[in-house]
Amino acid sequence: MSAEHLFEGNLHWDGQPTDRAYDYANLHRGTRIEFDGGATLSASAPSVFHGDDRQPNPETLMMASLMQCHFLTFMAVAIKSGVRVTGYSDRATGRLGMQDGKMRFVEVVLHPQVTLAETVDAGQLASMHDKAHRNCFMSNSVNFPVRVETAG
């Protein structure tokens, strides 16, 4: 596997509707994001920042990226360990706060729940999550703590 991979995307904003004032509170925050291969999504800001909670926003996309990365890395660990996963779900919580004078993520906590075809020792399952967390590209790329809390 190459040591470097390039990913590209495009963001498009259609502009401010003419019937809305051009100010912070009324700014239309909807965008369309497109990626090579055809994946597209509409996005906005969270409602707390005058956006639309019915669409993904940078904060939920960050959490989605961390959840998806942990899932994919966990699945690789499971397969390489000979453990068959039959179900997987996660619920992330992310906390924004002021740190060093800037609003930023101060923590994301993942809460994965895994169903396995066979019983494995709780220690082995914890070790698999730990290995997945240590090798997740996205959690290795952020400057805030990402924790994994499993039931058990």
Side-chain angles (χ1 to χ4, degrees), residues 14 22 71 74-75 79 114 117 126 136 146 152:
D14 288 330
Y22 186 76
F71 162 72
F74 180 86
M75 292 303 293
I79 289 169
V114 180
C136 170
V146 177

Side-chain angles (χ1 to χ4, degrees), residues 41-55:
L41 62 100
S42 295
S44 184
S47 61
V48 69
F49 300 120
H50 305 283
D52 183 352
D53 283 337
R54 295 171 299 177
Q55 296 184 4

